[in-house]
PDB file of all heavy atoms in Angstrom:
ATOM      1  N   ALA A 204      99.746  90.126 107.496  1.00 98.00           N
ATOM      2  CA  ALA A 204      98.643  89.568 108.273  1.00 98.00           C
ATOM      3  C   ALA A 204      97.978  88.402 107.550  1.00 98.00           C
ATOM      4  O   ALA A 204      97.982  88.312 106.316  1.00 98.00           O
ATOM      5  CB  ALA A 204      97.610  90.651 108.557  1.00 98.00           C
ATOM      6  N   ASP A 205      97.399  87.515 108.332  1.00 98.00           N
ATOM      7  CA  ASP A 205      96.595  86.431 107.774  1.00 98.00           C
ATOM      8  C   ASP A 205      95.183  86.911 107.442  1.00 98.00           C
ATOM      9  O   ASP A 205      94.542  86.375 106.544  1.00 98.00           O
ATOM     10  CB  ASP A 205      96.551  85.265 108.768  1.00 98.00           C
ATOM     11  CG  ASP A 205      97.932  84.687 109.017  1.00 98.00           C
ATOM     12  OD1 ASP A 205      98.323  83.769 108.283  1.00 98.00           O
ATOM     13  OD2 ASP A 205      98.632  85.186 109.927  1.00 98.00           O
ATOM     14  N   ARG A 206      94.693  87.880 108.197  1.00 98.00           N
ATOM     15  CA  ARG A 206      93.417  88.532 107.910  1.00 98.00           C
ATOM     16  C   ARG A 206      93.512  90.003 108.307  1.00 98.00           C
ATOM     17  O   ARG A 206      94.222  90.359 109.252  1.00 98.00           O
ATOM     18  CB  ARG A 206      92.256  87.894 108.676  1.00 98.00           C
ATOM     19  CG  ARG A 206      91.759  86.572 108.166  1.00 98.00           C
ATOM     20  CD  ARG A 206      91.124  86.643 106.769  1.00 98.00           C
ATOM     21  NE  ARG A 206      90.543  85.370 106.390  1.00 98.00           N
ATOM     22  CZ  ARG A 206      91.238  84.320 105.951  1.00 98.00           C
ATOM     23  NH1 ARG A 206      92.562  84.406 105.853  1.00 98.00           N
ATOM     24  NH2 ARG A 206      90.623  83.202 105.606  1.00 98.00           N
ATOM     25  N   VAL A 207      92.741  90.820 107.595  1.00 98.00           N
ATOM     26  CA  VAL A 207      92.602  92.237 107.930  1.00 98.00           C
ATOM     27  C   VAL A 207      91.139  92.484 108.284  1.00 98.00           C
ATOM     28  O   VAL A 207      90.244  92.139 107.506  1.00 98.00           O
ATOM     29  CB  VAL A 207      93.006  93.140 106.745  1.00 98.00           C
ATOM     30  CG1 VAL A 207      92.785  94.613 107.097  1.00 98.00           C
ATOM     31  CG2 VAL A 207      94.446  92.889 106.336  1.00 98.00           C
ATOM     32  N   ILE A 208      90.907  93.061 109.457  1.00 98.00           N
ATOM     33  CA  ILE A 208      89.553  93.439 109.845  1.00 98.00           C
ATOM     34  C   ILE A 208      89.390  94.934 109.583  1.00 98.00           C
ATOM     35  O   ILE A 208      90.158  95.757 110.098  1.00 98.00           O
ATOM     36  CB  ILE A 208      89.269  93.133 111.324  1.00 98.00           C
ATOM     37  CG1 ILE A 208      89.331  91.628 111.580  1.00 98.00           C
ATOM     38  CG2 ILE A 208      87.900  93.678 111.737  1.00 98.00           C
ATOM     39  CD1 ILE A 208      89.115  91.242 113.033  1.00 98.00           C
ATOM     40  N   ALA A 209      88.391  95.290 108.781  1.00 98.00           N
ATOM     41  CA  ALA A 209      88.064  96.695 108.510  1.00 98.00           C
ATOM     42  C   ALA A 209      86.801  97.052 109.274  1.00 98.00           C
ATOM     43  O   ALA A 209      85.895  96.230 109.417  1.00 98.00           O
ATOM     44  CB  ALA A 209      87.851  96.909 107.016  1.00 98.00           C
ATOM     45  N   VAL A 210      86.725  98.295 109.763  1.00 97.00           N
ATOM     46  CA  VAL A 210      85.598  98.690 110.605  1.00 97.00           C
ATOM     47  C   VAL A 210      84.358  99.055 109.801  1.00 97.00           C
ATOM     48  O   VAL A 210      83.295  99.302 110.372  1.00 97.00           O
ATOM     49  CB  VAL A 210      85.977  99.861 111.536  1.00 97.00           C
ATOM     50  CG1 VAL A 210      87.029  99.446 112.542  1.00 97.00           C
ATOM     51  CG2 VAL A 210      86.448 101.074 110.726  1.00 97.00           C
ATOM     52  N   SER A 211      84.478  99.087 108.470  1.00 97.00           N
ATOM     53  CA  SER A 211      83.333  99.400 107.618  1.00 97.00           C
ATOM     54  C   SER A 211      83.637  98.951 106.201  1.00 97.00           C
ATOM     55  O   SER A 211      84.797  98.683 105.843  1.00 97.00           O
ATOM     56  CB  SER A 211      83.026 100.901 107.639  1.00 97.00           C
ATOM     57  OG  SER A 211      84.114 101.638 107.090  1.00 97.00           O
ATOM     58  N   GLU A 212      82.593  98.870 105.367  1.00 97.00           N
ATOM     59  CA  GLU A 212      82.800  98.575 103.950  1.00 97.00           C
ATOM     60  C   GLU A 212      83.567  99.711 103.282  1.00 97.00           C
ATOM     61  O   GLU A 212      84.335  99.483 102.348  1.00 97.00           O
ATOM     62  CB  GLU A 212      81.453  98.352 103.260  1.00 97.00           C
ATOM     63  CG  GLU A 212      80.819  97.004 103.564  1.00 97.00           C
ATOM     64  CD  GLU A 212      81.675  95.840 103.070  1.00 97.00           C
ATOM     65  OE1 GLU A 212      82.215  95.929 101.951  1.00 97.00           O
ATOM     66  OE2 GLU A 212      81.815  94.846 103.809  1.00 97.00           O
ATOM     67  N   LEU A 213      83.338 100.936 103.760  1.00 96.00           N
ATOM     68  CA  LEU A 213      84.082 102.083 103.256  1.00 96.00           C
ATOM     69  C   LEU A 213      85.581 101.864 103.442  1.00 96.00           C
ATOM     70  O   LEU A 213      86.380 102.053 102.513  1.00 96.00           O
ATOM     71  CB  LEU A 213      83.638 103.351 103.999  1.00 96.00           C
ATOM     72  CG  LEU A 213      84.417 104.632 103.735  1.00 96.00           C
ATOM     73  CD1 LEU A 213      84.197 105.109 102.306  1.00 96.00           C
ATOM     74  CD2 LEU A 213      83.991 105.729 104.718  1.00 96.00           C
ATOM     75  N   THR A 214      85.990 101.458 104.632  1.00 97.00           N
ATOM     76  CA  THR A 214      87.396 101.197 104.920  1.00 97.00           C
ATOM     77  C   THR A 214      87.895  99.980 104.135  1.00 97.00           C
ATOM     78  O   THR A 214      89.028  99.974 103.636  1.00 97.00           O
ATOM     79  CB  THR A 214      87.588 100.964 106.429  1.00 97.00           C
ATOM     80  OG1 THR A 214      87.141 102.124 107.133  1.00 97.00           O
ATOM     81  CG2 THR A 214      89.042 100.702 106.768  1.00 97.00           C
ATOM     82  N   ARG A 215      87.060  98.968 104.012  1.00 98.00           N
ATOM     83  CA  ARG A 215      87.452  97.766 103.268  1.00 98.00           C
ATOM     84  C   ARG A 215      87.779  98.113 101.821  1.00 98.00           C
ATOM     85  O   ARG A 215      88.767  97.617 101.259  1.00 98.00           O
ATOM     86  CB  ARG A 215      86.335  96.732 103.328  1.00 98.00           C
ATOM     87  CG  ARG A 215      86.678  95.410 102.651  1.00 98.00           C
ATOM     88  CD  ARG A 215      85.562  94.368 102.859  1.00 98.00           C
ATOM     89  NE  ARG A 215      85.946  93.091 102.275  1.00 98.00           N
ATOM     90  CZ  ARG A 215      85.672  92.732 101.018  1.00 98.00           C
ATOM     91  NH1 ARG A 215      85.003  93.566 100.227  1.00 98.00           N
ATOM     92  NH2 ARG A 215      86.048  91.557 100.566  1.00 98.00           N
ATOM     93  N   ARG A 216      86.995  98.975 101.211  1.00 97.00           N
ATOM     94  CA  ARG A 216      87.252  99.361  99.816  1.00 97.00           C
ATOM     95  C   ARG A 216      88.575 100.121  99.688  1.00 97.00           C
ATOM     96  O   ARG A 216      89.313  99.943  98.710  1.00 97.00           O
ATOM     97  CB  ARG A 216      86.098 100.218  99.296  1.00 97.00           C
ATOM     98  CG  ARG A 216      84.813  99.437  99.057  1.00 97.00           C
ATOM     99  CD  ARG A 216      83.817 100.236  98.254  1.00 97.00           C
ATOM    100  NE  ARG A 216      83.321 101.392  98.987  1.00 97.00           N
ATOM    101  CZ  ARG A 216      82.262 101.383  99.789  1.00 97.00           C
ATOM    102  NH1 ARG A 216      81.572 100.262  99.964  1.00 97.00           N
ATOM    103  NH2 ARG A 216      81.875 102.481 100.414  1.00 97.00           N
TER     104      ARG A 216
END
Side-chain angles (χ1 to χ4, degrees):
D205 297 270
R206 284 295 186 282
V207 177
I208 296 178
V210 294
S211 64
E212 284 297 318
L213 173 68
T214 301
R215 183 175 183 269
R216 288 193 293 271

